[in-house]
Amino acid sequence: MIDAIVSEWLKLRSLRSNLYLLAFSVLAVLLCAGLAFMVSRSFDNQAGDERLVFTSIGAGLGAGLPVAYFVMAALGALSITSEHATGLIRTSLVAVPRRQLFLFAKIPALAAVTLVAGEVLVFAMHVAAQAVLGDRAGQVLLDGRTLGVSLTDPGVAAELLVAGAVMPLVAMVGLGLGAVIRSTAGSLVALIMVLFVLPVVAQTLPSPWRSRIGSFMVENLPNQIVAGDGPGILPPLAALALLLAYPVVALTAGAVAIAVRGRGIRPLVVGGLLAALLAAVTAIPSSAAASALSWKACGGDLECASVQVPVNWSKPSGRKISIRIARLPATGTHRRIGAVFTVPGGPGGSGIDDLKKSGGNFTQLRQQFDVITLEPRNTTDLGVIPFDCFATGAWITVPDNRPEYDRLAAKNRQYAEQCRKADPEYFDNLDSGSVARDIEAIRVALGEEKLSFLATSYGGVVATTYARLFPGAVRAVYVDGGVDHLADHATDLRMRYAAIEGQFTRLSAWCASSDACALRGRDVGAVWRDLTAAADRSPVPVKETQVAYSGFDFKVAAAPDVISPGPAPDFPNWQRFARVVDQAVKGDASGFADYVEQATKSKKVPSFRGMDATHCTDGLGFASYEEFQQVKALDQQLSPNFAGNELWHPLGCVGWPAPVTNPAKPLPADRLPPFLGAGTWTDHADVADTVSRVPGSSTVRYNGSGHGLYLTGNQCTISYANRYLTFLRLPAKGTVCEPPTIK
């Protein structure tokens, strides 16, 4: 056996065509560098969000790897077809009459040469591609990948080592095909079919067959073995088994073909059994969740189902309600990771409505995730309690003394009881803790081991509550413009007033330079402060009604427009603010009342009972009149333009009949993964405070206005969120996204 191996090494080393083939493999490096150059030029010609839609070249092997595999496979084929072509096969079989020994003796030398050459080649391809990309390689793309990858990035070195280690296996495929076909030209044609033609044909197939068939192609297997970020749906063990099956099948066929009549049975049996075993491993289903739910189409790509949960989670065997859930299924172009659970804001928003409106923003995320959401129990139009009851409420005033505080409490309680009497048990269990427990029941029904969260606005309260209650079931938490449930009243006031005062400063600067501002030429701050101060002394009437606006009413009504100016450069909400302020200064608050009524069917902004049913049971109210006095005193110090506005929500809970069932409590940070947060000028501080409770967390700050960046399609923040949710890689501290350039 040793003599046969040594003999084959001498043949391999002395055959001049082998040297030419190895020299030809340098073409693979040039192809990788060339592709990187073309990508770089195209990338440089784009700007802003246009760069985010590029496709990652990953480790940079894509263009050159099939060529490298072809060279190594051709080397394997030539090692036996050259002997048939020259007639040397007769001499070789005389020297080594055991034909299968003769075939397998070629493997050690061939494997050693192709392993060394393959590893050198793969690392050279990577270095060449990344060198051409330069600093562009670190650009985060919309799917969460980067344009290129560094050797120090997680999994990259392993991917390169595996790709190099595949070279000997491909050479064995060539050896087996050469033994069967016995013709150099025929073997090369067969290799071209396997390595070039079939992958191209797979790419022409409709989805999802494109990705499923493509996963079985040789060039896509190394990345799947190391669970990399390339395409492919096979789990690592199945990918490895399939990769080994290629040479096993080829060598089995070669051993049968080279055997003398009747002597091919043994290699056929052994090789067939081994190939069958490898095929069985490949056929083992992936670790996809075993869902017990019955999904039905409910519009577009959405599928809907329902889960039964207790009304009162402290009585799990008691009365049940049905929670409607929906999913956007994973598209299957990449190996499925699990489920991303989107938690809607509000409180009381419908996640199903969010997916219907914004489902396209999840296209990249669906490569590896099912996107799941729910219509939470505190959605106001579920029909358990009349919608009109939940969608209305008391007009809030700021108490100046204890009797006024008590009268507000009595009014709030009266309004709440009007809704509560329809279903007291249900009304008392609309807190975020109950919603979080509903999500845990949904996770169990889905069969998911862990969930990744994408929580928007007040959904951040639900997500952090879930993380506190079920830390072991949390894979990742992305908080997008989330409400900070963990901060005390004083901290919350400081953050929120800093945000709205910052926006008011921007509004004033815009007004000073824009002809669209009805207050141009005047000191906007002075006009506003004079209006609200005078209205607190003598409320401004809404013409032809019995309604009048106090300064507090003006602030509550105007805050949404100040915070969210609308699309640049017109800023329609700021334009409206200037118009109605100008009208109010002249003695008529109708402008405010008209747009408030359009949104709420009320002349003033009501303290919505549907929102309060969650806010108050989550502990957002004041614990006592004394606490209210302390917060009010701080409130007056913090905000020259909107003092009192941040008291509105907590004052809605004064006198609330249902107890606090989900108070703020510390997170079990040592049992949670780092969080990612994202926020605009007006909500980044809240988000940063929330995620800071878990060490190692990070945020993305968007230098602009708005709220709910993922759902509104902000591609820069979506790219960072997708990177985190997919690869659990956080952006560097201080990462900033700029608004897209207006053309």
Side-chain angles (χ1 to χ4, degrees):
M1 181 66 177
I2 299 299
D3 291 340
I5 293 174
V6 171
S7 173
E8 293 301 329
W9 162 246
L10 291 174
K11 291 180 191 176
L12 187 65
R13 188 182 65 179
S14 60
L15 194 61
R16 189 175 299 175
S17 60
N18 291 342
L19 187 59
Y20 293 155
L21 267 176
L22 290 174
F24 180 76
S25 67
V26 176
L27 176 62
V29 179
L30 298 177
L31 284 172
C32 291
L35 176 62
F37 176 74
M38 293 172 62
V39 169
S40 298
R41 286 197 61 183
S42 180
F43 183 83
D44 291 342
N45 290 331
Q46 306 297 326
D49 286 356
E50 293 172 337
R51 291 184 170 184
L52 301 180
V53 299
F54 271 66
T55 300
S56 172
I57 69 169
L61 309 182
L65 199 59
V67 173
Y69 286 159
F70 176 75
V71 169
M72 301 306 163
L75 196 66
L78 281 173
S79 68
I80 191 166
T81 59
S82 60
E83 296 199 47
H84 282 286
T86 60
L88 185 61
I89 187 71
R90 299 185 186 88
T91 305
S92 297
L93 290 177
V94 169
V96 186
R98 295 173 58 189
R99 295 180 174 225
Q100 288 154 0
L101 175 61
F102 161 74
L103 177 66
F104 293 128
K106 295 179 178 292
I107 292 177
L110 190 61
V113 170
T114 54
L115 177 61
V116 174
E119 294 291 359
V120 171
L121 195 57
V122 164
F123 278 87
M125 288 189 286
H126 169 71
V127 170
Q130 303 310 311
V132 172
L133 283 182
D135 293 338
R136 308 174 191 87
Q139 171 69 53
V140 178
L141 305 175
L142 197 58
D143 62 2
R145 294 162 176 80
T146 50
L147 192 61
V149 293
S150 166
L151 191 59
T152 58
D153 285 348
V156 175
E159 179 186 348
L160 296 178
L161 288 170
V162 171
V166 172
M167 300 294 182
L169 300 179
V170 175
M172 299 307 107
V173 173
L175 176 62
L177 287 176
V180 172
I181 299 173
R182 302 184 182 185
S183 162
T184 299
S187 299
L188 295 181
V189 169
L191 290 172
I192 289 172
M193 291 293 296
V194 172
L195 297 174
F196 295 104
V197 177
L198 290 180
V200 172
V201 171
Q203 291 302 307
T204 66
L205 298 174
S207 183
W209 293 105
R210 180 189 307 121
S211 58
R212 292 176 181 174
I213 301 300
S215 300
F216 289 82
M217 300 294 108
V218 174
E219 64 189 66
N220 292 328
L221 292 175
N223 194 280
Q224 296 177 84
I225 291 172
V226 297
D229 60 6
I233 61 175
L234 295 176
L237 183 60
L240 177 60
L242 180 60
L243 181 60
L244 294 176
Y246 273 98
V248 166
V249 171
L251 288 174
T252 298
V256 172
I258 203 172
V260 179
R261 184 186 303 241
R263 295 186 180 178
I265 298 300
R266 181 179 296 177
L268 181 62
V269 171
V270 174
L273 288 174
L274 183 55
L277 178 61
L278 293 171
V281 173
T282 304
I284 293 175
S286 64
S287 56
S291 174
L293 298 171
S294 176
W295 296 97
K296 296 180 180 179
C298 56
D301 290 344
L302 274 181
E303 299 173 348
C304 292
S306 60
V307 174
Q308 295 289 310
V309 298
V311 173
N312 185 347
W313 274 100
S314 66
K315 301 176 181 178
S317 60
R319 173 187 162 205
K320 300 292 194 297
I321 55 174
S322 181
I323 300 294
R324 188 166 173 248
I325 65 174
R327 73 173 177 183
L328 290 170
T331 57
T333 58
H334 289 66
R335 180 170 42 249
R336 184 183 181 278
I337 294 174
V340 168
F341 203 104
T342 70
V343 188
S350 167
I352 297 178
D353 288 344
D354 286 346
L355 286 191
K356 287 179 178 178
K357 296 173 185 175
S358 306
N361 297 335
F362 296 89
T363 300
Q364 288 77 23
L365 203 57
R366 290 175 63 193
Q367 290 179 351
Q368 294 184 266
F369 292 94
D370 289 336
V371 178
I372 311 291
T373 193
L374 80 166
E375 229 168 29
R377 62 169 63 205
N378 56 11
T379 301
T380 54
D381 58 355
L382 296 184
V384 181
I385 292 175
F387 171 76
D388 288 342
C389 187
F390 264 162
T392 56
W395 290 348
I396 299 298
T397 55
V398 180
D400 289 327
N401 48 53
R402 184 59 180 260
E404 289 185 5
Y405 186 87
D406 291 341
R407 284 196 292 272
L408 177 63
K411 181 171 69 171
N412 285 343
R413 188 178 301 109
Q414 178 185 6
Y415 269 87
E417 289 290 359
Q418 290 172 358
C419 286
R420 186 176 183 272
K421 65 183 180 181
D423 193 328
E425 184 183 31
Y426 182 80
F427 186 88
D428 290 350
N429 286 280
L430 297 176
D431 60 292
S432 295
S434 294
V435 178
R437 290 178 173 87
D438 293 344
I439 293 174
E440 173 61 5
I442 294 168
R443 180 194 68 80
V444 173
L446 290 169
E448 297 288 346
E449 181 181 354
K450 294 187 176 185
L451 293 175
S452 299
F453 285 91
L454 193 160
T456 302
S457 190
Y458 203 83
V461 178
V462 177
T464 53
T465 301
Y466 184 95
R468 172 172 57 83
L469 296 173
F470 310 104
V474 174
R475 176 182 173 271
V477 177
Y478 166 60
V479 181
D480 191 337
V483 172
D484 189 356
H485 185 227
L486 306 176
D488 56 52
H489 280 301
T491 302
D492 192 54
L493 278 182
R494 289 188 175 91
M495 292 188 298
R496 290 180 177 272
Y497 277 135
I500 195 169
E501 289 291 342
Q503 282 297 88
F504 192 76
T505 299
R506 296 182 184 98
L507 184 156
S508 300
W510 164 81
C511 199
S513 61
S514 175
D515 291 334
C517 178
L519 300 176
R520 186 176 185 184
R522 288 184 270 179
D523 184 334
V524 176
V527 170
W528 175 248
R529 289 188 293 273
D530 289 346
L531 171 65
T532 54
D536 277 333
R537 294 189 299 270
S538 177
V540 179
V542 176
K543 285 189 176 180
E544 300 180 0
T545 72
Q546 300 299 311
V547 177
Y549 266 61
S550 67
F552 175 71
D553 295 329
F554 279 127
K555 293 171 185 177
V556 171
D561 275 1
V562 173
I563 291 171
S564 300
D570 296 330
F571 302 126
N573 294 348
W574 281 356
Q575 289 189 39
R576 179 171 64 183
F577 169 84
R579 287 195 307 271
V580 297
V581 167
D582 185 49
Q583 184 181 1
V585 168
K586 297 172 182 175
D588 182 10
S590 298
F592 281 95
D594 287 346
Y595 81 74
V596 168
E597 189 172 23
Q598 289 176 11
T600 69
K601 299 181 181 180
S602 172
K603 292 291 185 182
K604 293 184 187 181
V605 181
S607 181
F608 296 107
R609 286 173 283 192
M611 297 179 71
D612 289 338
T614 299
H615 284 162
C616 303
T617 49
D618 280 348
L620 267 64
F622 300 115
S624 64
Y625 175 69
E626 289 70 26
E627 183 184 26
F628 161 68
Q629 286 183 305
Q630 294 171 2
V631 174
K632 182 182 177 183
L634 178 62
D635 176 273
Q636 299 297 320
Q637 299 172 20
L638 291 175
S639 179
N641 294 294
F642 282 88
N645 179 67
E646 294 303 328
L647 300 178
W648 185 69
H649 277 309
L651 284 172
C653 293
V654 175
W656 197 255
V660 174
T661 50
N662 184 46
K665 294 180 181 178
L667 295 175
D670 58 333
R671 292 186 285 158
L672 289 169
F675 290 4
L676 174 64
T680 63
W681 283 329
T682 53
D683 51 32
H684 178 265
D686 280 42
V687 170
D689 185 73
T690 297
V691 305
S692 69
R693 312 298 173 125
V694 181
S697 299
S698 184
T699 66
V700 176
R701 178 185 174 90
Y702 176 69
N703 267 339
S705 303
H707 188 57
L709 294 162
Y710 203 106
L711 292 181
T712 55
N714 182 265
Q715 295 194 337
C716 178
T717 47
I718 287 175
S719 67
Y720 286 110
N722 286 350
R723 183 166 179 77
Y724 167 67
L725 291 169
T726 305
F727 308 114
L728 301 179
R729 298 178 196 170
L730 289 162
K733 302 285 186 183
T735 296
V736 173
C737 281
E738 299 293 343
T741 303
I742 299 173
K743 296 183 178 180

